[in-house]
Amino acid sequence: MDDEVRERVKEEAEKNALFNALKHESDPQVGAIMGPLMGENPEFREYGDEIPEVIGPVVGQIGSMSTEERRDRLEELDPDLVAELDAEDEDDEHDLPDLPNADDYDEIRLRAAPNPNGPWHLGHARMPSVIGTYKERYDGAFVVRFDDTDPETKRPDLDAYDEILDAIEYLGFEPDEVIRASDRLETYYDHARELIDLGGAYTCSCPQGEFSDMKNSGEACPHRDKDPETTREEFEAMIDGEYSAGEKVLRVKTDIEHKNPALRDWVAFRMIDTPHPREEASEYRCWPMLDFQSGIDDHLTDISHIIRGIDLQDSAKRQRFVYDYFGWEYPEVIHWGHVQVDAYDVSMSTSTIKERIEAGDLDGWDDPRAPTLASLRRRGIRGQAIVDAMVGLGTSTSNVDLAMSSIYANNRDMIDEDTDRAFLVRDGERFVVEGGPDAGHPPVHPNHEDRGERDIPVDEAVLLEPDDAPADGERVWLKGYGPVRREDDTLEFTDDDIDVVRDGDVDVIHWVPAEESQPLRLRTMDGDVSGHAEPGITDYDPDAMVQFERIGFARIDSVPGQGTEQSSGEDGEPRDRHESDETVAYYAHQ
């Protein structure tokens, strides 16, 4: 690399590094700017091995500059890049992209369409989070339609209807309209009758395997050309329950030679012998398939935009056949990928979670080991923390990974300033204390002196976590109490001042009194942890948040004398786990 190329590399690297640092509000890294540098300057590629050494000092110099200095320097080098940054800042006002063709609608109306076969797991939170956010942005409407027209395969759980609405409220949203599809069978029947009269549907009694073979080969079903009158008669017999499961279906007539076999003459209604669990729907036996039912309701409820998984692209294509028969305009559709979370040992599957509860592997839907909204709520995670993390994922068609750390960071920002501090010692090791004060006085909150101090008696001994216990002859600083030196099994108070901590010679550790501490069980994602908390922990009411110093935030669940710990069982009703003299807290995060 000659001197001329070297100078050009430095100049381009400086602009890229400044832009990168200002855009991400962080110090630039050599690796982060190598890609843009090479992409914009392909003539540099032959010097790829030498470039990191050349640009390293440039990146280091920018790392020592303030944000204002970086911006001034970039303005001097390339004003267009500064303008690009400003434009990006304006675009970043919303985490979510604008809804397509939003100006074409008098009102933006979006729907969540949950299957009420159980309480919601964490992945379910994405839809209401995004819909609720769009509703607020566009001053639109949020419709909840329970897609409960499968009383057999995805059998509704009667408690799940209210549990799902409670989950939406927990996330901070209130639906403008709530619909149960199982209340609307007559509406679906009426539209099916109209579709039959339009020549768009026919009844079929072909065994499923035979029809599948014909469909895949592009061969028409022998029932396809029956007259509408016969189809109407047979459909009415389906409604009257004169056929058993698998004996007769109603198919939408599409294109039997369509390039996608999944779209060829799809089933709109089928017979199900299993009664619906809702008494209001228990007499029906002819049930619409989801693509027919949801397509009809999206039109009747004036849904403007549908958000659905990328795996449901065929649903929109099937429904468009019905819309074409009726002369309806199909809503705008946004497809997105699935949310993946790898922080749990239990998969995000309603059926799997239910099986684990039934097997006794989980205590209930709110067990901290379960990836459910009920679990996060019981741990003290604010609904808004989940919403912000979900909205931050955007609406990409790719599968996206949800980092639990993003939810925890959001929650920490929301609760940190209001949360009192407390000490909790796990698997405590007992030490006699000699020569010091009778009590320690750590602050209630380190950032708020006006909240005062905690009074923690020492008496004769304290409990320390085993990893914190000093070696014989070494010192530690008991937070809020002072310096001690270990002599055998005794901690002797010393006259050291706080400088020993500032100089890094002595660690600051938490502690609890050995005699007056309160037994506490901390429920975590990894199982229950037993320990002892400072006596004042019993002054908190259930649902209060505390930060166990050097451990993390936790929600107080039960305190002796203030009720027993409960869990939601398989039937959704609270159940007592056991009476206990211990305080129970649920771990939230660090």
Side-chain angles (χ1 to χ4, degrees):
M1 182 187 303
D2 60 31
D3 291 343
E4 182 181 351
V5 173
R6 183 180 298 273
E7 288 305 311
R8 288 184 54 226
V9 169
K10 288 181 179 179
E11 290 173 6
E12 293 300 317
E14 185 178 10
K15 288 191 291 185
N16 275 277
L18 287 165
F19 183 86
N20 181 273
L22 289 166
K23 179 178 180 178
H24 298 289
E25 298 181 356
S26 63
D27 291 337
Q29 303 291 329
V30 171
I33 67 170
M34 281 290 288
L37 185 67
M38 295 300 197
E40 296 166 9
N41 304 276
E43 68 273 19
F44 292 168
R45 292 175 184 169
E46 62 179 295
Y47 308 108
D49 294 339
E50 302 174 62
I51 283 180
E53 183 179 349
V54 174
I55 68 177
V58 176
V59 171
Q61 182 179 3
I62 293 171
S64 65
M65 297 167 65
S66 67
T67 298
E68 185 176 351
E69 290 171 333
R70 291 170 180 173
R71 185 180 175 88
D72 289 344
R73 178 57 176 162
L74 187 58
E75 181 77 48
E76 179 184 335
L77 293 175
D78 194 331
D80 289 342
L81 286 178
V82 175
E84 183 178 336
L85 279 172
D86 292 340
E88 286 189 4
D89 288 341
E90 293 177 5
D91 292 340
D92 288 344
E93 180 183 354
H94 300 293
D95 287 320
L96 295 172
D98 292 338
L99 288 173
N101 302 314
D103 292 339
D104 294 344
Y105 297 88
D106 293 334
E107 183 183 35
I108 297 299
R109 293 177 62 84
L110 303 107
R111 50 81 165 169
N115 186 309
N117 61 333
W120 270 356
H121 57 62
L122 180 55
H124 287 123
R126 188 184 188 192
M127 185 68 77
S129 296
V130 170
I131 287 177
T133 301
Y134 274 132
K135 171 196 168 175
E136 293 172 354
R137 187 196 301 186
Y138 290 97
D139 192 23
F142 180 174
V143 178
V144 171
R145 184 187 68 239
F146 286 106
D147 283 346
D148 59 347
T149 55
D150 184 353
E152 187 173 53
T153 308
K154 289 192 174 182
R155 187 168 177 78
D157 177 341
L158 293 179
D159 294 314
Y161 295 90
D162 287 339
E163 289 168 341
I164 289 171
L165 293 177
D166 286 345
I168 293 173
E169 181 181 1
Y170 161 56
L171 295 171
F173 304 108
E174 181 179 356
D176 297 280
E177 188 176 357
V178 176
I179 298 170
R180 291 173 173 80
S182 58
D183 285 333
R184 300 169 57 78
L185 269 292
E186 298 299 334
T187 297
Y188 308 136
Y189 292 161
D190 286 344
H191 282 82
R193 293 180 180 112
E194 185 177 350
L195 185 63
I196 292 169
D197 291 342
L198 292 170
Y202 64 93
T203 46
C204 171
S205 57
C206 293
Q208 183 176 350
E210 288 184 16
F211 182 86
S212 181
D213 290 341
M214 288 187 290
K215 177 189 71 173
N216 291 334
S217 63
E219 180 183 347
C221 165
H223 308 102
R224 197 172 195 265
D225 293 328
K226 68 176 64 172
D227 58 83
E229 291 76 15
T230 302
T231 295
R232 275 289 294 266
E233 290 176 4
E234 293 181 348
F235 182 64
E236 295 300 335
M238 290 176 65
I239 294 173
D240 292 339
E242 295 180 12
Y243 300 103
S244 58
E247 192 174 350
K248 187 81 71 175
V249 298
L250 181 73
R251 295 187 179 277
V252 176
K253 190 181 296 185
T254 64
D255 177 1
I256 199 62
E257 296 181 348
H258 196 284
K259 62 181 180 180
N260 182 352
L263 306 185
R264 298 172 184 170
D265 288 14
W266 52 274
V267 174
F269 284 81
R270 61 174 176 160
M271 303 301 298
I272 298 178
D273 293 334
T274 305
H276 197 282
R278 292 186 67 226
E279 184 177 350
E280 301 89 333
S282 61
E283 298 300 318
Y284 289 102
R285 292 295 179 271
C286 178
W287 287 92
M289 299 296 284
L290 184 60
D291 282 334
F292 186 87
Q293 166 252 304
S294 65
I296 298 298
D297 276 338
D298 284 337
H299 173 76
L300 296 181
T301 55
D302 295 320
I303 298 303
S304 64
H305 293 74
I306 299 171
I307 303 175
R308 55 164 57 115
I310 191 70
D311 56 318
L312 297 177
Q313 291 183 84
D314 284 347
S315 290
K317 297 172 183 176
R318 292 190 190 99
Q319 291 168 349
R320 286 181 191 276
F321 285 105
V322 175
Y323 274 59
D324 288 343
Y325 279 118
F326 289 132
W328 297 342
E329 288 292 327
Y330 198 75
E332 307 287 342
V333 181
I334 299 169
H335 289 105
W336 60 16
H338 291 292
V339 174
Q340 303 170 134
V341 181
D342 60 4
Y344 290 89
D345 293 330
V346 180
S347 65
M348 283 199 308
S349 160
T350 300
S351 59
T352 299
I353 297 169
K354 188 176 296 186
E355 290 170 1
R356 297 289 291 271
I357 293 172
E358 292 173 347
D361 298 331
L362 297 173
D363 292 332
W365 290 94
D366 56 5
D367 189 305
R369 297 166 294 180
T372 61
L373 291 183
S375 169
L376 290 174
R377 189 174 192 173
R378 194 159 196 179
R379 289 168 56 193
I381 308 297
R382 302 292 187 259
Q384 189 62 47
I386 300 171
V387 171
D388 290 346
M390 289 295 183
V391 169
L393 297 176
T395 58
S396 169
T397 56
S398 301
N399 290 342
V400 289
D401 294 322
L402 173 67
M404 290 303 296
S405 58
S406 65
I407 294 178
Y408 299 155
N410 294 341
N411 199 63
R412 188 181 303 111
D413 289 342
M414 294 174 187
I415 68 174
D416 186 30
E417 289 300 305
D418 296 325
T419 302
D420 292 348
R421 277 29 177 183
F423 291 156
L424 170 66
V425 171
R426 301 157 295 185
D427 299 324
E429 191 171 333
R430 190 177 190 276
F431 290 92
V432 173
V433 178
E434 293 183 350
D438 294 333
H441 303 284
V444 173
H445 194 292
N447 300 335
H448 300 280
E449 293 183 4
D450 57 311
R451 295 190 200 171
E453 299 175 333
R454 294 126 58 193
D455 296 320
I456 307 178
V458 173
D459 294 331
E460 297 180 356
V462 297
L463 299 178
L464 305 182
E465 297 211 341
D467 290 343
D468 288 340
D472 199 23
E474 291 187 353
R475 296 170 298 174
V476 291
W477 191 285
L478 302 184
K479 188 168 186 178
Y481 182 77
V484 294
R485 184 190 305 275
R486 178 175 178 178
E487 299 293 342
D488 296 324
D489 293 331
T490 300
L491 299 177
E492 296 181 354
F493 194 79
T494 71
D495 58 359
D496 296 304
D497 61 27
I498 195 64
D499 287 339
V500 297
V501 173
R502 296 190 181 113
D503 295 340
D505 298 330
V506 173
D507 292 332
V508 178
I509 65 172
H510 63 283
W511 55 280
V512 295
E515 309 306 329
E516 296 189 39
S517 59
Q518 170 65 32
L520 184 140
R521 181 160 58 99
L522 186 64
R523 308 211 69 211
T524 79
M525 291 173 63
D526 297 319
D528 292 358
V529 176
S530 296
H532 287 78
E534 61 184 70
I537 201 70
T538 57
D539 295 335
Y540 289 97
D541 294 328
D543 209 36
M545 295 296 296
V546 298
Q547 186 197 91
F548 290 124
E549 300 194 45
R550 304 174 66 223
I551 296 175
F553 292 90
R555 175 189 157 274
I556 302 299
D557 193 74
S558 65
V559 177
Q562 297 189 39
T564 56
E565 183 192 13
Q566 295 182 325
S567 173
S568 56
E570 177 62 25
D571 57 2
E573 293 297 320
R575 64 168 186 248
D576 292 344
R577 287 205 177 98
H578 60 271
E579 296 282 351
S580 175
D581 292 332
E582 66 183 356
T583 296
V584 176
Y586 277 62
Y587 182 75
H589 49 76
Q590 290 184 332

